[in-house]
Amino acid sequence: MDTTRLPNIANIRQFLASTRATTLLYVLLFFAFSWLSYGAYVRVDLSTTGAMRITGTTKTLLRGLPEKAVIELFVSNDLPDEAVLVARKARDFIQEYVNSSRGRVKLIILDPDHDKAAAARANDLHIQQLDLRVGGSKKAQAQSIYFGLAISYGTKSEAVNNLIGLYEQHDLENQLTAKLFRMVKPNERKIAIMSGHGPFNQKKERSPTSLSLFADRMNAGYGDLLEVNPATADIPVEVSTLIIVQPGKLEPIERFRLDQFVMRGGNLIIASSGMDVNFSQQFMASPGAPDLGEFLKGYGIELAADMINEGKPNYYVPFAQQGFKAPYPPWVVVQKENLSQENLASRGNSALILPYTSSIKTNPGVLPTGEGSGKFKVDVLAKSTGEAWSQTNFAFLDPNKMQEMMAAPKQTTGTYNLAVMVQGKFVSQYANVAPPKDAPKTWLKAAEKDSRILVIGTPYALSNMMFILSEMLGAIDM
């Protein structure tokens, strides 16, 4: 055994104990890698010139690895003409990925076609050959090539095949980093999503209320996404992060179980607006999720029943079905200067798209104070420009009426928080109030450890709407 590649246990323990490697961070990584990041669209444009860039999130994580990782890239030297260009771009991207680690990741390139030892190594690491259809003037045939890699960390390794497909789908960075950090933190606790509420679900359909693509990505990158219904049972102890998407009515026992989850150190990621969007004929939004709003107030977080509009830098959002570009302020584009450069989830990314989003405030009078691990920290991950404006009560969303709305006088302009994370030891909402009658006789009245509550002002940040939006942006030249 090559002991020089074994990780130092003390370094690993220090790394795993840090906030950089928590389950919450794993979910936050999604925002940096998925279509939610406007950088994905920038990459589409840059890819035609061969230029690529790695997200700031990945750079920070790679540079913080406690021990070095190794990427072994298996590439056939004799590639068919049809694959040469995209293979070169994918290889350049992998090299840039390695370079961004500043020496924490090493790249080894091998040619199994001309090296028997490399072929044996590829077989041991489960690297699969790709069958490409090669065309020609006389005949068309299949050619098998190597273009896969394996990431090794300590004594563990993970294979990543179909690199060309992952590169073309802009998912290569996500797959590399997810596999690497799954090896770094193998015993991470479970991520769950709250079920039994509202229109959002995991049905595999082309719908703005479907969460299927988000769920698929979470399952592939970070393990199975559990479904939890606090109305029928306690949140399992192995769950460390619970995702809540635009819930409906919260029963008293649900609020109690969510509170106790936070008291024991559980993290909440809440993607919800204070407005419900009606995509039917009227295409408008009205106040919604009142129970969630009241629940969050107990922790000093206020989710407003409003909808934020941004005239700039949104500019024009294409409506492919209509064949033209239209200004659409309800799809807020938060640019880099309005993204937190302190938080790992948003640092270094060029922009964030938040469709139909509400504003978020924190109430210092409710947030407790403390020192050390109990000291509260409020981090605004994303905010609007000072020219944004809000709509309350009712918001009309018909794209054909946006010009009229933009021309009307604005009385509520200003800067609005759109994604906020609060962390520290929260006070139980049942410290001085009796729990519901079906609650247990004993309960936690004070937090046992720090928790994090991340609130994003729109459920559509996690829904298939982002995929639909990505398709629309690709359908019309911006």
Side-chain angles (χ1 to χ4, degrees):
M1 180 182 295
D2 183 3
T3 58
T4 62
R5 291 182 58 189
L6 290 177
N8 181 279
I9 297 300
N11 287 349
I12 287 184
R13 286 174 178 169
Q14 181 180 5
F15 179 76
L16 298 187
S18 72
T19 57
R20 290 186 177 182
T22 62
T23 304
L24 182 67
L25 172 61
Y26 280 12
V27 183
L28 291 176
L29 283 175
F30 169 80
F31 300 105
F33 297 141
S34 74
W35 52 84
L36 183 61
S37 171
Y38 196 73
Y41 308 133
V42 176
R43 285 186 186 145
V44 173
D45 296 334
L46 293 179
S47 64
T48 59
T49 63
M52 295 296 293
R53 57 177 192 81
I54 308 299
T55 61
T57 305
T58 290
K59 292 178 182 178
T60 303
L61 291 171
L62 293 179
R63 295 166 188 174
L65 284 172
E67 297 294 335
K68 293 184 178 181
V70 176
I71 292 180
E72 295 170 89
L73 178 61
F74 297 87
V75 184
S76 294
N77 188 50
D78 184 20
L79 294 175
D81 293 341
E82 292 86 346
V84 169
L85 180 60
V86 66
R88 185 175 73 241
K89 290 180 179 180
R91 181 169 168 171
D92 289 346
F93 178 80
I94 294 167
Q95 183 65 64
E96 179 62 24
Y97 184 92
V98 171
N99 292 345
S100 70
S101 74
R102 292 181 178 172
R104 304 309 295 169
V105 181
K106 179 182 178 181
L107 177 62
I108 300 173
I109 300 177
L110 302 168
D111 180 6
D113 289 336
H114 299 90
D115 185 338
K116 292 184 179 180
R121 177 67 174 165
N123 183 67
D124 292 341
L125 294 171
H126 307 290
I127 302 299
Q128 301 172 0
Q129 288 182 286
L130 298 177
D131 292 327
L132 297 181
R133 180 67 61 180
V134 180
S137 57
K138 296 182 179 180
K139 61 179 180 179
Q141 60 184 5
Q143 178 177 338
S144 296
I145 66 167
Y146 281 99
F147 202 81
L149 63 80
I151 306 177
S152 298
Y153 187 85
T155 59
K156 300 175 183 177
S157 63
E158 289 255 11
V160 182
N161 291 293
N162 190 26
L163 295 180
I164 292 177
L166 291 174
Y167 173 83
E168 291 181 322
Q169 297 165 20
H170 314 292
D171 198 32
L172 183 52
E173 179 182 349
N174 174 47
Q175 292 294 325
L176 293 177
T177 305
K179 288 181 179 295
L180 178 57
F181 280 85
R182 192 161 53 189
M183 288 187 284
V184 173
K185 197 171 180 66
N187 298 318
E188 185 57 56
R189 295 168 68 191
K190 296 293 185 180
I191 301 170
I193 187 167
M194 192 167 82
S195 63
H197 275 274
F200 288 83
N201 54 64
Q202 297 184 45
K203 293 180 180 178
K204 295 184 180 297
E205 57 188 16
R206 185 183 174 87
S207 166
T209 58
S210 172
L211 304 170
S212 63
L213 294 171
F214 171 74
D216 288 346
R217 178 158 298 200
M218 293 302 300
N219 290 336
Y222 313 116
D224 292 340
L225 189 63
L226 303 180
E227 289 194 22
V228 172
N229 187 351
T232 58
D234 289 332
I235 300 170
V237 294
E238 64 268 23
V239 172
S240 62
T241 297
L242 179 64
I243 302 168
I244 302 174
V245 182
Q246 197 77 9
K249 179 178 177 56
L250 292 176
E251 298 295 338
I253 190 61
E254 292 181 279
R255 294 182 58 164
F256 173 79
R257 286 169 173 160
L258 290 173
D259 175 85
Q260 293 297 285
F261 175 71
V262 173
M263 290 305 102
R264 74 183 194 217
N267 303 310
L268 294 178
I269 293 183
I270 299 171
S272 181
S273 170
M275 305 278 276
D276 285 331
V277 176
N278 183 348
F279 289 99
S280 63
Q281 295 179 348
Q282 291 183 324
F283 201 2
M284 60 184 296
S286 57
D291 287 5
L292 176 64
E294 288 300 315
F295 174 74
L296 289 174
K297 282 182 180 179
Y299 301 121
I301 304 170
E302 299 179 0
L303 177 64
D306 64 4
M307 184 159 291
I308 305 304
N309 295 272
E310 187 78 86
K312 296 180 181 180
N314 195 346
Y315 298 118
Y316 294 93
V317 173
F319 284 83
Q321 302 93 325
Q322 302 176 32
F324 67 90
K325 300 176 184 178
Y328 200 57
W331 283 353
V332 177
V333 178
V334 184
Q335 291 194 331
K336 184 176 181 178
E337 57 268 26
N338 288 325
L339 291 173
S340 170
Q341 298 306 307
E342 301 296 326
N343 193 287
L344 197 58
S346 50
R347 183 189 308 164
N349 293 310
S350 60
L352 193 69
I353 299 178
L354 298 174
Y356 310 122
T357 184
S358 293
S359 63
I360 305 158
K361 295 180 181 179
T362 55
N363 185 348
V366 177
L367 291 176
T369 59
E371 298 296 334
S373 62
K375 186 176 182 179
F376 259 68
K377 180 181 179 183
V378 178
D379 193 357
V380 178
L381 272 64
K383 60 184 179 181
S384 72
T385 68
E387 298 179 358
W389 69 95
S390 68
Q391 289 178 284
T392 57
N393 298 322
F394 295 96
F396 295 95
L397 306 175
D398 186 344
N400 295 306
K401 299 179 180 179
M402 288 298 110
Q403 291 283 12
E404 179 181 345
M405 183 185 73
M406 294 177 68
K410 313 293 187 305
Q411 298 181 349
T412 56
T413 58
T415 301
Y416 297 90
N417 299 333
L418 307 177
V420 175
M421 185 167 72
V422 181
Q423 62 184 61
K425 286 187 176 180
F426 294 89
V427 176
S428 173
Q429 298 189 24
Y430 300 91
N432 301 305
V433 177
K437 61 181 180 180
D438 42 355
K441 294 181 179 180
T442 60
W443 66 94
L444 296 174
K445 297 183 179 181
E448 294 182 323
K449 56 183 72 174
D450 284 8
S451 298
R452 296 170 181 83
I453 299 180
L454 168 64
V455 182
I456 306 162
T458 172
Y460 301 103
L462 306 187
S463 82
N464 289 3
M465 172 172 283
M466 297 309 302
F467 175 75
I468 298 171
L469 174 58
S470 180
E471 283 188 335
M472 291 169 68
L473 287 170
I476 296 180
D477 182 13
M478 293 294 285

Coordinates of all heavy atoms in Angstrom, one line a residue, residues 213-257:
L213 N -36.2 17.4 -11.3 CA -34.8 17.6 -11.7 C -33.9 17.9 -10.5 O -32.7 17.5 -10.4 CB -34.7 18.7 -12.7 CG -35.4 18.4 -14.1 CD1 -35.5 19.6 -15.0 CD2 -34.7 17.3 -14.8
F214 N -34.4 18.7 -9.6 CA -33.6 19.0 -8.4 C -33.4 17.7 -7.6 O -32.3 17.4 -7.1 CB -34.4 20.0 -7.5 CG -33.8 20.2 -6.1 CD1 -32.6 20.9 -6.0 CD2 -34.4 19.7 -5.0 CE1 -32.1 21.1 -4.7 CE2 -33.9 19.9 -3.8 CZ -32.7 20.6 -3.6
A215 N -34.5 16.9 -7.4 CA -34.4 15.7 -6.7 C -33.4 14.7 -7.3 O -32.6 14.1 -6.7 CB -35.7 15.0 -6.5
D216 N -33.4 14.6 -8.7 CA -32.5 13.7 -9.4 C -31.1 14.1 -9.2 O -30.2 13.3 -9.0 CB -32.8 13.8 -10.9 CG -34.1 13.0 -11.2 OD1 -34.6 12.3 -10.4 OD2 -34.6 13.2 -12.4
R217 N -30.8 15.4 -9.2 CA -29.5 15.9 -9.0 C -29.0 15.7 -7.6 O -27.9 15.3 -7.4 CB -29.4 17.4 -9.4 CG -28.0 18.0 -9.2 CD -27.7 19.2 -10.0 NE -27.8 18.9 -11.4 CZ -27.3 19.7 -12.4 NH1 -26.7 20.8 -12.0 NH2 -27.5 19.4 -13.6
M218 N -29.9 15.9 -6.6 CA -29.5 15.7 -5.3 C -29.2 14.2 -5.0 O -28.3 13.8 -4.3 CB -30.6 16.1 -4.3 CG -30.8 17.7 -4.3 SD -29.3 18.6 -3.9 CE -29.0 17.9 -2.2
N219 N -30.1 13.3 -5.6 CA -29.9 11.9 -5.4 C -28.6 11.4 -6.1 O -27.8 10.6 -5.5 CB -31.0 11.1 -6.1 CG -32.3 11.3 -5.3 OD1 -32.3 11.6 -4.2 ND2 -33.4 11.1 -6.0
A220 N -28.2 12.0 -7.2 CA -27.0 11.5 -7.9 C -25.8 12.0 -7.2 O -24.7 11.3 -7.1 CB -27.0 12.1 -9.4
G221 N -25.8 13.3 -6.7 CA -24.6 13.9 -6.1 C -24.4 13.6 -4.6 O -23.3 13.5 -4.2
Y222 N -25.5 13.5 -3.9 CA -25.4 13.5 -2.4 C -26.1 12.4 -1.7 O -26.3 12.5 -0.5 CB -25.8 14.9 -1.9 CG -25.2 16.0 -2.7 CD1 -26.0 16.9 -3.4 CD2 -23.9 16.2 -2.7 CE1 -25.5 17.9 -4.1 CE2 -23.3 17.3 -3.5 CZ -24.1 18.1 -4.2 OH -23.6 19.1 -4.9
G223 N -26.6 11.4 -2.5 CA -27.3 10.3 -1.8 C -28.8 10.6 -1.9 O -29.3 11.6 -2.3
D224 N -29.6 9.5 -1.5 CA -31.0 9.6 -1.7 C -31.6 10.7 -0.8 O -31.3 10.9 0.3 CB -31.6 8.2 -1.2 CG -31.3 7.1 -2.1 OD1 -30.9 7.4 -3.3 OD2 -31.3 5.9 -1.7
L225 N -32.5 11.4 -1.5 CA -33.3 12.5 -0.8 C -34.5 11.9 -0.2 O -35.4 11.4 -0.8 CB -33.7 13.5 -1.9 CG -34.3 14.8 -1.4 CD1 -33.3 15.6 -0.6 CD2 -34.7 15.7 -2.6
L226 N -34.5 11.9 1.2 CA -35.6 11.3 1.9 C -36.9 12.2 1.8 O -36.7 13.4 1.7 CB -35.2 11.1 3.3 CG -34.0 10.2 3.6 CD1 -33.8 10.1 5.1 CD2 -34.2 8.8 3.0
E227 N -38.1 11.6 1.9 CA -39.3 12.4 2.1 C -39.8 12.3 3.5 O -39.9 11.2 4.0 CB -40.3 11.9 1.1 CG -40.0 12.3 -0.4 CD -41.3 12.1 -1.3 OE1 -42.4 12.1 -0.7 OE2 -41.1 11.9 -2.5
V228 N -40.1 13.4 4.1 CA -40.5 13.5 5.5 C -41.8 14.2 5.6 O -41.9 15.3 5.0 CB -39.4 14.1 6.4 CG1 -39.9 14.3 7.8 CG2 -38.2 13.2 6.4
N229 N -42.8 13.7 6.3 CA -44.0 14.4 6.6 C -44.2 14.6 8.1 O -44.6 13.7 8.8 CB -45.2 13.6 6.0 CG -46.5 14.4 6.1 OD1 -46.6 15.5 6.7 ND2 -47.5 13.9 5.4
P230 N -43.9 15.8 8.6 CA -44.0 16.1 10.0 C -45.4 16.0 10.6 O -45.6 15.9 11.8 CB -43.4 17.5 10.2 CG -42.6 17.7 8.9 CD -43.3 17.0 7.9
A231 N -46.4 15.9 9.7 CA -47.8 15.8 10.2 C -48.1 14.4 10.7 O -48.9 14.2 11.5 CB -48.8 16.1 9.0
T232 N -47.3 13.4 10.3 CA -47.6 12.0 10.6 C -46.5 11.4 11.5 O -46.8 10.4 12.2 CB -47.7 11.2 9.4 OG1 -46.5 11.3 8.6 CG2 -48.9 11.7 8.5
A233 N -45.3 12.0 11.5 CA -44.2 11.4 12.3 C -43.1 12.4 12.6 O -43.0 13.4 11.9 CB -43.6 10.2 11.6
D234 N -42.3 12.1 13.6 CA -41.2 12.9 13.9 C -40.2 12.9 12.8 O -40.1 11.9 12.0 CB -40.5 12.4 15.2 CG -41.3 12.7 16.5 OD1 -42.1 13.7 16.5 OD2 -41.2 11.9 17.4
I235 N -39.3 13.9 12.7 CA -38.3 14.0 11.7 C -37.2 13.0 12.2 O -36.7 13.1 13.3 CB -37.7 15.4 11.5 CG1 -38.9 16.3 11.1 CG2 -36.6 15.4 10.5 CD1 -38.5 17.8 11.1
P236 N -36.8 12.1 11.3 CA -35.8 11.0 11.8 C -34.5 11.7 12.3 O -34.1 12.7 11.8 CB -35.6 10.2 10.5 CG -36.8 10.4 9.7 CD -37.3 11.8 10.0
V237 N -33.9 11.0 13.2 CA -32.7 11.6 13.8 C -31.5 11.6 12.9 O -30.6 12.4 13.1 CB -32.3 10.8 15.1 CG1 -33.3 10.9 16.2 CG2 -32.1 9.3 14.7
E238 N -31.5 10.8 11.8 CA -30.4 10.8 10.9 C -30.5 12.0 9.9 O -29.5 12.2 9.2 CB -30.3 9.5 10.1 CG -31.5 9.2 9.2 CD -32.6 8.4 9.9 OE1 -32.6 8.4 11.2 OE2 -33.4 7.7 9.2
V239 N -31.6 12.7 9.9 CA -31.7 13.8 9.0 C -31.1 15.0 9.6 O -31.4 15.4 10.8 CB -33.2 14.1 8.7 CG1 -33.4 15.4 7.9 CG2 -33.8 13.0 7.9
S240 N -30.2 15.7 8.9 CA -29.5 16.9 9.4 C -30.0 18.1 8.7 O -29.8 19.2 9.2 CB -28.0 16.7 9.3 OG -27.6 16.6 8.0
T241 N -30.5 18.0 7.5 CA -31.0 19.1 6.7 C -32.3 18.8 6.1 O -32.5 17.8 5.5 CB -30.0 19.5 5.6 OG1 -28.8 19.9 6.2 CG2 -30.5 20.7 4.8
L242 N -33.3 19.7 6.3 CA -34.7 19.5 5.8 C -35.0 20.6 4.9 O -34.8 21.8 5.2 CB -35.7 19.5 6.9 CG -37.2 19.3 6.6 CD1 -37.4 17.9 5.9 CD2 -38.1 19.5 7.8
I243 N -35.4 20.3 3.7 CA -35.8 21.3 2.6 C -37.3 21.4 2.6 O -38.0 20.4 2.6 CB -35.3 20.8 1.2 CG1 -33.7 20.6 1.3 CG2 -35.6 21.8 0.2 CD1 -33.2 19.8 0.1
I244 N -37.7 22.7 2.7 CA -39.2 23.0 2.6 C -39.5 23.9 1.4 O -38.8 24.9 1.3 CB -39.6 23.7 4.0 CG1 -39.3 22.8 5.2 CG2 -41.1 24.0 3.9 CD1 -39.5 23.4 6.5
V245 N -40.4 23.4 0.6 CA -40.7 24.2 -0.6 C -42.2 24.6 -0.6 O -43.1 23.7 -0.7 CB -40.4 23.4 -1.9 CG1 -40.7 24.2 -3.1 CG2 -39.0 22.9 -1.9
Q246 N -42.5 25.9 -0.5 CA -43.8 26.5 -0.5 C -44.9 25.6 0.1 O -45.8 25.1 -0.5 CB -44.2 26.8 -2.0 CG -45.3 27.7 -2.2 CD -44.9 29.2 -2.0 OE1 -43.8 29.5 -1.8 NE2 -45.9 30.1 -1.9
P247 N -44.8 25.4 1.4 CA -45.8 24.6 2.1 C -47.2 25.2 2.2 O -47.3 26.5 2.1 CB -45.2 24.4 3.5 CG -44.5 25.6 3.7 CD -43.9 26.1 2.4
G248 N -48.2 24.4 2.4 CA -49.5 25.0 2.7 C -49.7 25.2 4.2 O -48.8 25.6 4.9
K249 N -50.9 24.8 4.7 CA -51.2 25.0 6.1 C -50.3 24.1 6.9 O -50.1 22.9 6.7 CB -52.6 24.6 6.3 CG -53.1 24.8 7.8 CD -54.5 24.5 8.0 CE -55.0 24.5 9.4 NZ -54.6 25.8 10.1
L250 N -49.7 24.6 8.0 CA -48.9 23.9 8.9 C -49.7 23.6 10.2 O -50.1 24.5 10.9 CB -47.6 24.7 9.3 CG -46.6 24.9 8.2 CD1 -45.4 25.7 8.7 CD2 -46.0 23.5 7.7
E251 N -50.0 22.3 10.4 CA -50.7 21.9 11.6 C -49.8 22.2 12.9 O -48.6 22.2 12.8 CB -51.1 20.5 11.6 CG -52.0 20.1 10.4 CD -53.4 20.8 10.5 OE1 -53.7 21.2 11.7 OE2 -54.0 20.9 9.5
P252 N -50.5 22.4 14.0 CA -49.7 22.6 15.2 C -48.6 21.6 15.5 O -47.5 22.0 15.9 CB -50.7 22.7 16.3 CG -52.0 23.1 15.6 CD -51.9 22.5 14.3
I253 N -48.9 20.3 15.3 CA -47.9 19.3 15.5 C -46.7 19.4 14.6 O -45.6 19.1 14.9 CB -48.5 17.9 15.5 CG1 -47.5 16.9 16.0 CG2 -49.0 17.6 14.1 CD1 -47.1 17.0 17.4
E254 N -47.0 19.9 13.3 CA -45.9 20.1 12.4 C -45.0 21.2 12.8 O -43.7 21.1 12.7 CB -46.5 20.4 11.0 CG -47.2 19.2 10.4 CD -47.8 19.6 9.0 OE1 -48.8 20.2 8.9 OE2 -47.1 19.2 8.0
R255 N -45.5 22.3 13.3 CA -44.7 23.4 13.7 C -43.9 23.0 14.9 O -42.7 23.3 15.0 CB -45.6 24.6 14.1 CG -46.3 25.2 12.9 CD -47.1 26.4 13.3 NE -46.3 27.5 13.9 CZ -46.7 28.7 14.1 NH1 -47.9 29.1 13.6 NH2 -45.9 29.6 14.6
F256 N -44.5 22.2 15.8 CA -43.7 21.7 17.0 C -42.6 20.8 16.5 O -41.4 20.9 17.0 CB -44.7 20.9 17.9 CG -44.0 20.2 19.0 CD1 -43.6 21.0 20.2 CD2 -43.7 18.9 19.0 CE1 -42.9 20.3 21.2 CE2 -43.0 18.2 20.0 CZ -42.6 19.0 21.1
R257 N -42.8 19.9 15.6 CA -41.7 18.9 15.2 C -40.6 19.7 14.4 O -39.5 19.3 14.6 CB -42.3 17.8 14.4 CG -43.1 16.8 15.2 CD -43.9 15.8 14.4 NE -44.5 14.8 15.3 CZ -45.6 14.1 14.9 NH1 -46.2 14.3 13.8 NH2 -46.0 13.1 15.8

